[in-house]
């Protein structure tokens, strides 16, 4: 399990620090708002492609070799990035690096989904992600001041050494038959496939909205009058507070099931984005970021858990990183395009609210269908 968790964490390293990195690309290399949005989109598109590549080979169970390939590609990409300072080469290499990271993340999550107590493993993964994210938001500004982007990308390359060392503990081939499951099957395969695809659709919609804000969260904070250090501290402390999100999601899931709490927290996200689209002040920014991180932490647990609950084979769970990658690549791209058209941050957040509504609608449809066909699963 440690190898899978470490591979997923290392793969997500750059994405977790994306706002600070994109801000540095603008400040140090002169990238425009559109350039940094599309650079972030290229990174996440690579993550998507890597995830799809793993999902098409998930049935082979050869996750160890897939993680190793992803590690080598991601390390090479980060080293190459350290030598680049212009937009097109940067976006191209980040696409390649994102592919390697996507392979690592998707293979790691697929492994976790096939183990006993997968919901607990997913909660643990999210908690560790939050801790690493907080450390990055705290350390990256100092690292940028000492070494610039060169040092930052070399450090991210070095993060892959730990999962590479632990990889030997992972079996060369993990059979899907080794995982035991108490999941109930749906009445018809078609009903199962339909609900699984709606879950994946909702994941894409949520990640479009979340990644659009995340990519520009530093710039938005600066636009409301906060200093760079204040923004960094806000992101770090609020993200650290969201450690409670993974634990709270697990507790609520055991008490109320995963579907109902998920619908509630998506509505809370909608309220935050909706209020920001009308007015963003410094106090509102800090409070909204606090809620955003808590909701994001809880939602990531539920995205994996709800789909895992209706997918006994693990085939659709393997597509979760691909769905996340699709949303995370589209979000910064759409936000960058809207900003390029002069829409402004409130307008971007208003558009993102529509994606949150679509996410809520997708999960609500799944919940209502489960209430009709499998009531036990609707409350699981």
């Amino acid at each position: 399990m440690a190898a899978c968790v470490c591979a997923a964490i290392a793969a997500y390293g750059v994405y977790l620090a994306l706002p600070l990195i994109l801000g540095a690309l603008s400040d140090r290399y002169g990238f425009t708002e559109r350039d940094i949005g599309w650079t972030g989109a290229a990174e996440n598109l690579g993550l998507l492609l890597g995830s799809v590549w793993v999902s098409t080979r998930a049935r082979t169970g050869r996750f160890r070799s897939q993680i190793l390939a992803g590690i080598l590609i991601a390390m090479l990409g980060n080293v190459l990035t350290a030598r680049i300072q212009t937009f097109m080469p940067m976006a191209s290499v980040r696409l390649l690096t994102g592919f390697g990271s996507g392979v690592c993340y998707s293979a790691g999550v697929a492994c976790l989904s096939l183990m006993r107590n997968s919901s607990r493993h997913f909660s643990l993964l999210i908690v560790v992600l939050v801790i690493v994210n907080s450390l990055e938001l705290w350390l990256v500004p100092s690292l940028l001041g000492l070494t610039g982007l060169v040092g930052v990308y070399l450090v991210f390359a070095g993060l892959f050494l730990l999962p590479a060392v632990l990889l030997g503990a992972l079996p060369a081939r993990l059979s899907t038959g080794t995982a035991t499951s108490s999941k109930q099957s749906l009445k018809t395969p078609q009903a199962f496939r339909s609900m699984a695809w709606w879950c994946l659709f909702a994941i894409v919609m949520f990640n479009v909205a979340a990644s659009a804000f995340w990519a520009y969260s530093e710039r938005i904070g600066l636009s409301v009058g906060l200093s760079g250090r204040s923004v960094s501290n806000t992101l770090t402390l609020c993200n650290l507070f969201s450690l409670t999100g993974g634990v709270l999601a697990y507790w609520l899931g055991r008490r109320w099931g995963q579907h109902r709490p998920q619908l509630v927290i998506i509505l809370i996200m909608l309220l935050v984005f909706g209020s920001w689209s009308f007015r963003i002040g410094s106090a509102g920014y800090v409070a909204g970021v606090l809620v955003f991180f808590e909701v994001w932490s809880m939602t990531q647990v539920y995205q994996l858990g709800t789909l895992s609950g209706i997918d006994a084979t693990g085939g659709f769970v393997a597509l979760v990183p691909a769905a996340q990658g699709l949303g995370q690549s589209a979000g910064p791209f759409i936000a960058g395009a809207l900003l390029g058209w002069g829409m402004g941050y409130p307008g971007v957040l208003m558009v993102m609210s529509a994606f949150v509504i679509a996410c809520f609608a997708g999960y609500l449809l799944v919940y209502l269908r489960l209430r009709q066909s499998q009531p036990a699963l609707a409350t699981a």
Side-chain angles (χ1 to χ4, degrees), residues 3 27-28 46 49 53 56 65 69 71 93 102 190 193 205 228 234 239 247 266-267 278 320 351 368 371:
D27 296 337
R28 295 168 183 264
L49 296 176
W53 185 82
T56 60
S65 60
I71 287 173
V93 173
Q190 183 59 40
R193 288 194 296 269
M205 294 296 101
T234 297
N239 183 70
V247 178
I266 292 172
L267 283 178
F278 289 101
V320 168
V351 173
L368 293 177
R371 285 282 303 269

Side-chain angles (χ1 to χ4, degrees), residues 102-149:
V103 170
C104 285
Y105 182 74
S106 184
V109 169
C111 286
L112 292 176
S113 73
L114 296 175
M115 296 178 181
R116 294 176 182 269
N117 299 317
S118 58
S119 295
R120 186 176 64 186
H121 295 324
F122 292 147
S123 297
L124 175 62
L125 173 63
I126 299 307
V127 168
V128 177
L129 275 172
V130 170
I131 295 173
V132 172
N133 194 10
S134 298
L135 289 173
E136 287 188 6
L137 291 173
W138 179 47
L139 295 174
V140 166
S142 299
L143 190 59
L144 283 169
L146 291 173
T147 65
L149 283 165

Side-chain angles (χ1 to χ4, degrees), residues 324-353:
Q324 291 174 330
L326 178 59
Q328 289 164 2
S329 62
F333 181 87
I334 294 172
L338 294 174
L339 290 170
W341 296 333
M343 200 165 206
Y345 295 123
V348 170
L349 291 167
M350 180 175 291
V351 173
M352 292 305 116
S353 298

Side-chain angles (χ1 to χ4, degrees), residues 59 115 168 180 332 338 359:
R59 293 186 181 276
M115 296 178 181
T180 60
L338 294 174
C359 169

Side-chain angles (χ1 to χ4, degrees), residues 69-326:
I71 287 173
L72 294 175
I73 294 171
M75 289 184 70
L76 176 62
N78 280 310
V79 171
L80 291 175
T81 303
R83 301 178 59 87
I84 298 173
Q85 299 185 11
T86 54
F87 167 63
M88 283 304 296
M90 176 73 72
S92 301
V93 173
R94 294 320 299 173
L95 176 66
L96 173 68
T97 311
F99 177 82
S101 297
V103 170
C104 285
Y105 182 74
S106 184
V109 169
C111 286
L112 292 176
S113 73
L114 296 175
M115 296 178 181
R116 294 176 182 269
N117 299 317
S118 58
S119 295
R120 186 176 64 186
H121 295 324
F122 292 147
S123 297
L124 175 62
L125 173 63
I126 299 307
V127 168
V128 177
L129 275 172
V130 170
I131 295 173
V132 172
N133 194 10
S134 298
L135 289 173
E136 287 188 6
L137 291 173
W138 179 47
L139 295 174
V140 166
S142 299
L143 190 59
L144 283 169
L146 291 173
T147 65
L149 283 165
V150 173
V152 171
Y153 281 116
L154 290 179
V155 168
F156 283 128
L159 289 179
F160 287 93
L161 293 176
L162 180 58
V165 170
L166 296 175
L167 208 53
L170 194 66
R173 183 172 184 177
L174 184 63
S175 172
T176 56
T178 62
T180 60
S181 174
S182 60
K183 299 169 189 173
Q184 304 178 43
S185 59
L186 298 183
K187 293 182 179 179
T188 66
Q190 183 59 40
F192 159 73
R193 288 194 296 269
S194 174
M195 280 186 276
W197 283 115
W198 274 112
C199 285
L200 292 172
F201 165 80
I203 291 172
V204 172
M205 294 296 101
F206 181 88
N207 280 276
V208 168
S211 64
F213 169 72
W214 179 238
Y216 288 94
S217 57
E218 184 199 34
R219 315 304 289 179
I220 294 174
L222 294 175
S223 73
V224 300
L226 295 174
S227 67
R229 176 53 63 180
S230 296
V231 172
S232 177
N233 289 339
T234 297
L235 295 176
T236 301
L237 294 175
C238 290
N239 183 70
L240 188 60
F241 176 78
S242 70
L243 275 170
T244 60
V247 178
L248 182 60
Y250 182 71
W251 182 80
L252 288 175
R254 291 179 62 87
R255 185 175 179 85
W256 302 104
Q258 300 193 75
H259 294 275
R260 287 175 291 182
Q262 183 179 48
L263 291 171
V264 172
I265 62 175
I266 292 172
L267 283 178
I268 293 173
M269 175 77 93
L270 179 60
L271 289 175
V272 171
F273 275 41
S275 63
W276 274 344
S277 65
F278 289 101
R279 183 178 182 275
I280 310 177
S282 57
Y285 173 82
V286 173
V289 168
L290 179 66
V291 176
F292 171 81
F293 275 117
E294 188 77 2
V295 169
W296 197 2
S297 177
M298 296 177 69
T299 301
Q300 289 185 83
V301 175
Y302 290 138
Q303 284 175 352
L304 293 165
T306 52
L307 186 54
S308 178
I310 61 175
D311 177 18
T313 66
F316 282 96
V317 174
L319 287 172
V320 168
Q324 291 174 330
L326 178 59

